[in-house]
Amino acid sequence: SKGTALEKFSSNKSRVLSGAASYVNAPAGSCATSTTLIPRTLQGPSGTIVYLHAAATPNNKIGLIKTSGYAIAADCLSSQTGPTVNHYPTAGIILSTGRLLVSYSNTTGPVNEIYTYPITATAIAAGASAFNNASVLAGVTAMAEMSDGKILIASGASTYNTIEQFTYDTAANTLAHVGTTAFISASIYTKSISSLLIAN
C-alpha cells in the first residue's frame, strides 16, 4: 500500500499494472470508494488481497480483491463497512485458524475495539466484537500471532505504548487478555510501533 492505492512489483522489479492503473486503484462495487487512506493490506485466502480503508463513513471499510488485482467492479469480491461511523480500521491479521481480526480506532469516537470476521477466498462475512476494553487497548497499530496461537497487539495511543498478549477462543471468537499487566511495558522503545513480526 502507498496510502491511496496498492502497487505490485514483479521479482525482476517491474511494476505490475491492472489494466493501465495501479494493481488496486479506485475499486468500485461494494469496495467503492476506497482510495484515500489505506493503512494496511494483507494476503487473504488463496492469495486474495485484503485491504483496510480508514476514510470517513461510508468508506471506513475492509475489502477483498481478486488475486489478479482490480480492473473492473467484479474484481471487488466483498467488503464490510465499519460497525459504526466512528469505527476506522487501523490494523489487521489473518489468524492460523482462518479468521480475520481487524482493529478499529477513532480519537473522536472514542472507539478502541477489535472485531473478528469469517473470511474465505470469495467473501468477508459480517463480523462481531472480539475485544472492547479501552483500559487495556487504545489506538491499536499492529498485531501478530505467536506459534502457540497467542496474539500480540501493539497499543499505540500516547498514554499506552505497550504490547499486550491475548488468547483467542475459537468457539466464542473472542480475545482474552493474558495477565494483569502489559506483556511488554511502555518505554521509549515501544513508542510509535507500526508493525509486529514474530521472528525466530
Side-chain angles (χ1 to χ4, degrees), residues 11 68 73 78 81 99-100 104 106-108 111 114 125 127 137-140 153 157 159 166 179 194 200:
S11 58
S68 54
S78 180
T81 303
R99 298 285 290 203
L100 169 64
Y104 291 96
N106 189 327
T107 56
T108 61
V111 170
I114 296 177
L137 289 177
V140 170
I153 301 177
T159 54
F166 294 83
S194 59
N200 57 349

Side-chain angles (χ1 to χ4, degrees), residues 10-147:
S10 70
S11 58
N12 66 4
K13 300 176 273 190
S14 299
R15 184 177 179 229
V16 179
L17 300 176
S18 181
S22 302
Y23 204 66
V24 176
N25 183 55
S30 65
C31 296
T33 308
S34 306
T35 58
T36 56
L37 183 56
I38 302 173
R40 192 79 72 229
T41 58
L42 306 167
Q43 184 169 357
S46 301
T48 53
I49 301 164
V50 178
Y51 70 92
L52 313 183
H53 192 251
T57 187
N59 298 319
N60 55 328
K61 61 179 63 176
I62 53 178
L64 183 67
I65 301 288
K66 287 183 178 179
T67 58
S68 54
Y70 180 85
I72 60 174
D75 293 335
C76 168
L77 298 170
S78 180
S79 73
Q80 289 288 332
T81 303
T84 73
V85 297
N86 293 318
H87 281 71
Y88 283 39
T90 58
I93 185 174
I94 296 181
L95 301 178
S96 57
T97 61
R99 298 285 290 203
L100 169 64
L101 287 185
V102 175
S103 63
Y104 291 96
S105 295
N106 189 327
T107 56
T108 61
V111 170
N112 291 286
E113 189 168 13
I114 296 177
Y115 259 63
T116 176
Y117 295 88
I119 185 170
T120 68
T122 57
I124 302 170
S129 181
F131 190 82
N132 187 12
N133 185 341
S135 69
V136 176
L137 289 177
V140 170
T141 56
M143 296 187 274
E145 183 177 13
M146 300 174 70
S147 60

